[in-house]
Amino acid sequence: MRRLMFAALLLVALISSPSAPMRAAFRPIANDFDGDGRTDLPIYRQPYGGADGRWLILRSAPAFDGAGLGIDSPAGWHHIAGDLDGDGLSDTIAIDFSQRWHIRYSRTAWSAAGGNNFVYPDTRAAIVPFVGTFDESLAPAFIAYEPARGLWNRLPAQGPWAPLPPVQWGRASDAPVPGDYDGDGITDLAVWRPSDGRWYILDSRSGYRSARAYDWGAPGDVPFPGDFDGDGLSDLAVFRPSTGTWYILFSSTQYSQAAARGIQWGADGDSPRIGDYDGDGRTDLAVWRERTGTWYLLLSSADYRYTAARGIQWGSSLFSTYLTFDVPLPQPLYARVLRVSGGCGSIRQGQGGVACTISPSEGSLPDSSGLQVFADLRTFGGSAQQRLSSFFGEYDVFVQIPADMAPGPKPFPAWAVDAEGRRADVTLTIQVEPR
């Protein structure tokens, strides 16, 4: 399976319905490209091999049955959206593999010529990007979380793109889950710790000095903060891939576990998403089924009743094309565990080359779309950092064996790096047989 189950999502600060002051500052609905106050259905279509792709968006107006919208976008680690220019329509942001941020504004029809771009100050740092706010102006801002150090960096969305002093909050294994937990309209910094299922929240109202923690979730769950009760504060929710069940802890009940709710919505292999698809100000549940390219929406306006659910086909199924793959957005980035394995064949001296394959371990990566895999081929006269191409979740490299190479096992290192900077190493071995 090319893309496995996911963990933390992007843009929770926008998807979580914020308080009234934030609504006055900029549109709180992420992925709203038609301005109707509802979340649209976007996918990012990525060609194999790393070429630039396109956003393909099914707009919610009038009823997810109109013409789609296509927006060219560079290939990269991340693809996020938010209303940066205040016109009520989402703009797109792509962060490429060199940490350059490419911004496309709706006011210029999302064109490259009318956009902006900048390079993140620390090009070596793996980051998880969000759109939110960080001061009383409630102006949209970029938030870049560095998982390796638990650092939150904040940059004005309109520039200059120089980070303010960072805030340290979180550990390397934590999932970033920012939202508005205190209702002041400013993004609070929060992480979910997969080892114990605890949420750690640093409130903006206190100047990021006051913290609180809640137990909600278990190892293997996927955290999803959103406003499920419509009170303007972020609730705590987790999706359990093993059962396809969402467990929600509501802010309106002071996060009382006695008042929590469990809703089964999803099947094995589905990709969970949230958004406000019906425009009622509360978070809806969604999954995208890769094998059919179908979105399944469970709406809060119908109290999450199955009889009012919707299925909408948008996106290519897994085997519909051998040239591209689709990633449903917003793109979650948190990988619980990164493990890789691989193998190579054997070859006789002077016969040319041999293919080697590296695969993410089954169940280890919620989404492999942000994964890069490399091999050190200097043993064979090649590159010290050869990037491998992907085909249906496996990464292949053809190793040319020098004709005069001596027989015997020829080990060489390979490694994978995910979107949050986690690295996993594997040693591959090619057996060179005598002539």
Side-chain angles (χ1 to χ4, degrees):
M1 182 183 299
R2 232 211 64 82
R3 292 180 293 278
L4 307 176
M5 294 308 301
F6 298 109
L9 74 167
L10 293 177
L11 301 179
V12 291
L14 291 178
I15 293 174
S16 303
S17 298
S19 60
M22 183 180 286
R23 292 182 183 273
F26 69 101
R27 195 160 194 90
I29 302 297
N31 294 303
D32 180 8
F33 293 88
D34 53 18
D36 68 346
R38 294 185 292 164
T39 304
D40 302 322
L41 303 181
I43 60 170
Y44 182 74
R45 181 158 293 170
Q46 173 71 62
Y48 284 103
D52 291 348
R54 276 172 70 80
W55 287 65
L56 299 176
I57 302 153
L58 185 62
R59 288 173 279 197
S60 53
F64 295 106
D65 55 5
L69 171 68
I71 301 172
D72 292 331
S73 184
W77 286 119
H78 311 299
H79 302 277
I80 64 176
D83 183 8
L84 307 179
D85 55 16
D87 67 350
L89 304 177
S90 285
D91 310 303
T92 66
I93 306 100
I95 295 90
D96 68 21
F97 298 118
S98 62
Q99 296 285 41
R100 181 172 291 276
W101 296 47
H102 301 263
I103 307 168
R104 303 289 184 263
Y105 298 106
S106 55
R107 65 170 183 256
T108 58
W110 298 281
S111 68
N116 273 320
N117 65 83
F118 67 94
V119 176
Y120 188 72
D122 186 354
T123 58
R124 299 167 300 173
I127 60 171
V128 181
F130 303 90
V131 177
T133 63
F134 57 73
D135 60 29
E136 290 77 8
S137 72
L138 301 184
F142 295 131
I143 300 173
Y145 177 70
E146 296 184 21
R149 297 188 292 170
L151 289 182
W152 299 78
N153 294 290
R154 300 159 293 163
L155 303 86
Q158 300 299 331
W161 294 293
L164 297 176
V167 178
Q168 201 287 324
W169 189 248
R171 298 177 182 173
S173 61
D174 292 345
V177 285
D180 186 8
Y181 297 91
D182 58 16
D184 66 351
I186 301 174
T187 302
D188 304 314
L189 310 182
V191 295
W192 182 77
R193 190 153 296 161
S195 60
D196 58 14
R198 178 168 291 187
W199 299 66
Y200 295 90
I201 301 167
L202 196 61
D203 291 317
S204 59
R205 189 183 296 276
S206 67
Y208 300 113
R209 291 186 296 269
S210 176
R212 47 196 165 124
Y214 300 97
D215 290 315
W216 192 244
D221 287 351
V222 180
F224 279 92
D227 187 4
F228 296 89
D229 53 16
D231 67 348
L233 279 71
S234 294
D235 306 314
L236 315 182
V238 295
F239 175 79
R240 190 154 296 164
S242 59
T243 62
T245 302
W246 301 74
Y247 296 95
I248 306 167
L249 201 61
F250 300 102
S251 58
S252 56
T253 66
Q254 288 72 53
Y255 302 109
S256 168
Q257 294 192 10
R261 185 172 181 182
I263 304 171
Q264 202 286 324
W265 189 246
D268 181 46
D270 288 350
S271 300
R273 296 292 188 274
I274 61 173
D276 188 1
Y277 301 99
D278 54 16
D280 69 345
R282 294 189 293 159
T283 301
D284 307 312
L285 307 179
V287 295
W288 186 73
R289 191 155 296 164
E290 184 178 41
R291 62 179 177 269
T292 62
T294 302
W295 297 73
Y296 294 95
L297 311 181
L298 197 62
L299 305 176
S300 58
S301 57
D303 196 31
Y304 305 106
R305 292 193 303 271
Y306 299 139
T307 54
R310 295 199 60 185
I312 303 168
Q313 203 287 322
W314 186 249
S316 296
S317 59
L318 179 60
F319 297 106
S320 65
T321 174
Y322 294 97
L323 302 177
T324 63
F325 62 90
D326 288 350
V327 179
L329 300 176
Q331 181 186 8
L333 299 169
Y334 166 65
R336 295 186 296 274
V337 180
L338 176 60
R339 299 190 184 97
V340 291
S341 59
C344 302
S346 60
I347 189 171
R348 291 192 179 277
Q349 285 178 293
Q351 284 191 343
V354 64
C356 299
T357 299
I358 298 176
S359 305
S361 298
E362 181 69 23
S364 66
L365 283 178
D367 187 0
S368 59
S369 61
L371 189 69
Q372 290 192 100
V373 179
F374 302 92
D376 183 346
L377 302 181
R378 287 177 292 179
T379 297
F380 312 99
S383 169
Q385 187 168 297
Q386 175 68 48
R387 186 175 173 190
L388 277 61
S389 58
S390 172
F391 186 74
F392 292 121
E394 293 187 337
Y395 295 79
D396 303 308
V397 62
F398 185 80
V399 182
Q400 188 70 35
I401 306 299
D404 59 353
M405 179 164 277
K410 308 299 176 184
F412 64 97
W415 63 95
V417 181
D418 69 18
E420 295 187 41
R422 293 180 178 84
R423 173 169 168 156
D425 294 85
V426 63
T427 298
L428 304 180
T429 301
I430 296 175
Q431 181 68 34
V432 179
E433 304 289 352
R435 296 179 189 273

